[in-house]
Amino acid sequence: MATFCPELGEWSAAQIISVNDRSQEADVLDLGWSGPEPENVADVGHLSALRLNHHGYRNALEQSHREWVLPRSYKNLGPAPLVRTEESATWSMGWDVGTQLHWQRRWDAGEREDLEDEPGFRQYEDGQELPPVTTAPEIRALAIYAIQSVDCALIASSFPNLTRLTIWGEMGSLLNASELNQLQRMRRIDVHEMFGMTGHDVLDPARLNEMEYISLDCVPVDYAGAVRRAWTPEAGKGVYLSISKARTPEWVRENVDNPLRAWDGREGISSRTYKRALSAWKGSTRPIREALQADIGEAERREQLTALGAQFAEAFNEVAGPAHLLMTEERDELLEALHRLVTDAAADTAVDAEEAALVVLHAVNTHRDW
């Protein structure tokens, strides 16, 4: 199949190696070709796999499992002998055929800039503010991470030519979400853990007729339902739709201050394990807060924090159990959340917040099995 790649300014091509009906994935191999719009396989010429050595790649093939919905901007050129029959060992979300060829050619030409400096891409992270209403028509891809409140009206007016939008929140607010329908060149949108949207803010298939990929995770249940009803019929037209963890207003109220909320519904963590983890968190962090705010001597506080850190570790040893239900991701999230809890609790006291965190985490690491 082939598609137009804006970065290359030409068409690029890939070959589907196999399709897995059970996992609903296609194993896709990018080809090292670009040129004018092809009408058939012959227009692509000799089919050769794209190999990469830019930015740390070591002669790697650009091949991965991708969702099996062929995006609507791609055209089927017909059958051809397989360039490669071996299955890929990697997975990716979205097709983006041609992008890696673009970067490889820039590298080969001696242009060695960072991937983050890609023209047409802009990113905002925690602590950064979205710009005032100034138009940036050259920006095609926008990523926003951990910003508490995002105004979609500002996005639509500032970046009118967006084709890709990622908003990754932490119990954030998405304001004026219906304004995303102004972005009529949009092809891909990813929204995670953002709230405030309703069914009236639904993405409109009639206006976003170039949309190919919608991924919503941890969003309001009314909004999720409206998007599902609107876009499910579009699947046969080349639109991939993924909606997970639709949340009720009650869930939002109960989880605003819950650092383990991402575990609720996560693959590999049962409802029972999540509930036990949440109970362990609440029971073992309450006395840590109390010790940090108590009017006691530093030696006594250190002794208490050491004991409480050990109790925290033991509580989650029981949650993990002999099956080791808590993996590396959960471990890192737990330790990060605990560090944040200790430093926040000590912020308005005379306690050295970082020293207290070191004491607690040392005790945790000494006693944990997860």
Side-chain angles (χ1 to χ4, degrees):
M1 86 290 303
T3 186
F4 182 79
C5 176
E7 290 82 6
L8 288 168
E10 295 183 308
W11 284 69
S12 187
Q15 186 175 53
I16 296 177
I17 302 302
S18 64
V19 175
N20 188 317
D21 292 343
R22 172 175 289 185
S23 63
Q24 297 187 348
E25 295 171 338
D27 192 358
V28 182
L29 175 69
D30 284 26
L31 303 177
W33 171 89
S34 71
E37 180 176 359
E39 296 301 324
N40 50 50
V41 174
D43 289 344
V44 177
H46 174 69
L47 304 185
S48 61
L50 173 61
R51 290 191 176 272
L52 308 174
N53 57 37
H54 70 84
H55 296 92
Y57 287 101
R58 297 184 178 181
N59 201 36
L61 288 167
E62 177 56 7
Q63 179 182 356
S64 65
H65 297 277
R66 307 172 195 184
E67 60 278 359
W68 72 344
V69 176
L70 183 68
R72 60 171 35 149
S73 62
Y74 287 62
K75 60 187 300 184
N76 188 348
L77 299 179
L82 291 180
V83 175
R84 188 171 190 266
T85 58
E86 292 84 352
E87 182 179 1
S88 172
T90 63
W91 281 258
S92 61
M93 298 302 292
W95 288 56
D96 292 330
V97 170
T99 302
Q100 287 286 12
L101 178 59
H102 157 72
W103 279 109
Q104 186 60 52
R105 286 182 176 173
R106 291 179 69 89
W107 187 269
D108 293 341
E111 300 177 27
R112 306 295 174 90
E113 71 274 25
D114 291 338
L115 292 172
E116 291 79 8
D117 296 331
E118 177 187 0
F121 173 75
R122 188 165 293 176
Q123 178 171 311
Y124 297 90
E125 298 182 15
D126 186 21
Q128 294 179 295
E129 294 291 334
L130 289 180
V133 182
T134 55
T135 303
E138 74 280 6
I139 301 300
R140 297 189 306 274
L142 176 66
I144 301 170
Y145 297 103
I147 294 180
Q148 194 59 34
S149 180
V150 177
D151 188 345
C152 295
L154 182 58
I155 291 175
S157 59
S158 298
F159 309 106
N161 294 324
L162 282 184
T163 61
R164 180 168 181 167
L165 175 63
T166 299
I167 304 177
W168 197 270
E170 295 179 0
M171 299 298 283
S173 297
L174 196 62
L175 309 176
N176 300 312
S178 63
E179 290 299 307
L180 294 179
N181 288 308
Q182 302 292 335
L183 299 170
Q184 297 184 21
R185 298 186 180 183
M186 185 71 70
R187 290 190 176 184
R188 173 169 179 157
I189 183 167
D190 299 78
V191 178
H192 169 81
E193 204 170 293
M194 298 295 290
F195 298 92
M197 310 88 86
T198 72
H200 298 294
D201 296 311
V202 65
L203 300 166
D204 185 357
R207 301 177 68 183
L208 302 176
N209 54 26
E210 293 187 25
M211 186 70 78
E212 298 177 338
Y213 183 106
I214 299 174
S215 176
L216 306 179
D217 175 66
C218 201
V219 297
V221 64
D222 290 348
Y223 181 73
V227 172
R228 189 186 301 278
R229 289 189 296 273
W231 288 90
T232 296
E234 301 295 311
K237 303 175 185 177
V239 180
Y240 173 79
L241 178 64
S242 174
I243 299 177
S244 57
K245 300 180 184 177
R247 303 303 194 186
T248 65
E250 293 76 20
W251 185 95
V252 175
R253 287 194 295 269
E254 293 170 0
N255 286 276
V256 168
D257 298 317
N258 173 15
L260 307 186
R261 58 182 176 268
W263 297 15
D264 187 6
R266 176 180 290 176
E267 184 178 357
I269 297 183
S270 67
S271 176
R272 180 173 180 269
T273 299
Y274 169 69
K275 290 176 181 177
R276 292 182 64 200
L278 190 56
S279 178
W281 172 267
K282 292 177 179 178
S284 57
T285 56
R286 188 181 304 109
I288 293 176
R289 287 197 192 93
E290 293 171 352
L292 288 166
Q293 296 169 356
D295 185 14
I296 57 178
E298 287 306 307
E300 182 180 358
R301 191 188 323 276
R302 185 182 185 91
E303 183 178 345
Q304 286 189 15
L305 292 177
T306 298
L308 293 170
Q311 291 175 23
F312 181 96
E314 293 295 346
F316 279 94
N317 285 346
E318 293 185 12
V319 173
H324 301 288
L325 298 175
L326 303 184
M327 308 303 286
T328 301
E329 183 177 14
E330 288 77 37
R331 178 202 66 200
D332 292 346
E333 290 170 339
L334 266 179
L335 296 178
E336 181 181 348
L338 183 58
H339 182 277
R340 186 166 55 248
L341 178 139
V342 172
T343 54
D344 288 350
D348 296 328
T349 71
V351 177
D352 185 323
E354 287 300 327
E355 175 64 23
L358 285 174
V359 171
V360 174
L361 291 173
H362 177 73
V364 171
N365 287 324
T366 300
H367 292 85
R368 67 177 174 84
D369 295 332
W370 32 275

